[in-house]
Amino acid sequence: DAGVIQSPRHEVTEMGQEVTLRCKPISGHNSLFWYRQTMMRGLELLIYFNNNVPIDDSGMPEDRFSAKMPNASFSTLKIQPSEPRDSAVYFCASSLANYNEQFFGPGTRLTVL
Amino acid sequence: KQEVTQIPAALSVPEGENLVLNCSFTDSAIYNLQWFRQDPGKGLTSLLLIQSSQREQTSGRLNASLDKSSGRSTLYIAASQPGDSATYLCLLGQNFVFGPGTRLSVLP
């Protein structure tokens, strides 16, 4: 199994630009999670999906952030417009179901100048 | 609101020592607890998952315990090796809250 795949691995953009992060979960997994890691706040849950349906998006910081899961094998996290304080590592994780073992992707390191 | 702490924040030990890492939480209504390691600049690697109905899980030199009533989980690492050096994080399977992590250094 290829594991959770994220792209791009690194993204550098300028303030105000739109950023789209992508995730492919492990085949057969029904739950998908987006986390953000910063030095100041550690790892935080942004949103999670179960069977392609968003279950809890209370961690999404602002309306500038949106996430979609159009099918079981693909999810996007979009930031529009991006700001320097959005600079962080964004991780995607998947699991068989909500409360099963989570497996993480390698992360996307986002830098907003 | 669930609050998770991990003490100590950093730990340095000589190779071969047995050690215990702690994860404490305030709300005992959890479904499970998962331990991860994270190497610098890398992603998270799952180590062990303990379901709320379990008290222990073992994998190789690692043993994790869970005591929901006291709001505590421990990760025991036997015969530590330099390759165990990493940050260890716990994740609560309730509202998916991470602890801040313990940075472990095992000195050769």
Side-chain angles (χ1 to χ4, degrees):
Chain A
D1 199 324
V4 177
I5 298 172
Q6 291 187 247
S7 65
R9 294 292 307 276
H10 302 273
E11 176 82 32
V12 180
T13 190
E14 292 188 347
M15 183 174 64
Q17 296 298 306
E18 177 180 296
V19 175
T20 299
L21 310 182
R22 296 173 175 80
C23 175
K24 177 178 169 57
I26 293 172
S27 178
H29 281 192
N30 297 313
S31 296
L32 183 140
F33 306 80
W34 284 100
Y35 293 90
R36 178 171 69 174
Q37 185 174 36
T38 61
M39 289 293 291
M40 290 296 295
R41 300 175 65 90
L43 273 155
E44 301 175 290
L45 177 72
L46 298 176
I47 185 171
Y48 80 92
F49 295 82
N50 196 33
N51 294 320
N52 311 337
V53 176
I55 303 300
D56 183 357
D57 65 355
S58 59
M60 297 285 264
E62 298 170 36
D63 290 345
R64 298 184 296 107
F65 285 69
S66 63
K68 293 182 179 180
M69 192 163 186
N71 58 61
S73 59
F74 184 65
S75 177
T76 60
L77 178 67
K78 186 176 294 187
I79 308 172
Q80 166 64 17
S82 58
E83 297 182 3
R85 59 193 168 123
D86 302 330
S87 297
V89 181
Y90 291 80
F91 288 104
C92 176
S94 71
S95 65
L96 281 171
N98 281 358
Y99 298 108
N100 287 83
E101 186 177 10
Q102 292 190 24
F103 296 89
F104 277 66
T108 295
R109 182 173 297 276
L110 173 65
T111 302
V112 183
L113 303 173
Chain B
K1 178 186 173 186
Q2 180 74 271
E3 293 187 7
V4 186
T5 56
Q6 290 188 248
I7 295 173
L11 181 63
S12 185
V13 300
E15 181 177 4
E17 271 203 9
N18 302 324
L19 56 100
V20 175
L21 307 180
N22 297 291
C23 172
S24 298
F25 46 94
T26 54
D27 185 349
S28 63
I30 63 172
Y31 294 98
N32 59 42
L33 189 145
Q34 189 170 357
W35 282 94
F36 294 87
R37 68 174 281 168
Q38 184 175 31
D39 294 284
K42 303 292 186 183
L44 281 73
T45 301
S46 177
L47 298 174
L48 288 165
L49 174 75
I50 313 178
Q51 298 293 350
S52 62
S53 58
Q54 298 174 314
R55 292 193 62 87
E56 274 190 20
Q57 276 285 8
T58 298
S59 176
R61 295 183 293 109
L62 305 180
N63 175 277
S65 67
L66 176 63
D67 183 346
K68 284 176 43 178
S69 61
S70 65
R72 187 180 175 196
S73 175
T74 62
L75 179 67
Y76 174 84
I77 302 177
S80 59
Q81 303 171 358
D84 295 330
S85 298
T87 296
Y88 290 80
L89 299 132
C90 59
L91 170 64
L92 269 62
Q94 175 202 41
N95 47 8
F96 306 112
V97 177
F98 269 96
T102 293
R103 190 170 67 253
L104 172 66
S105 296
V106 180
L107 307 175

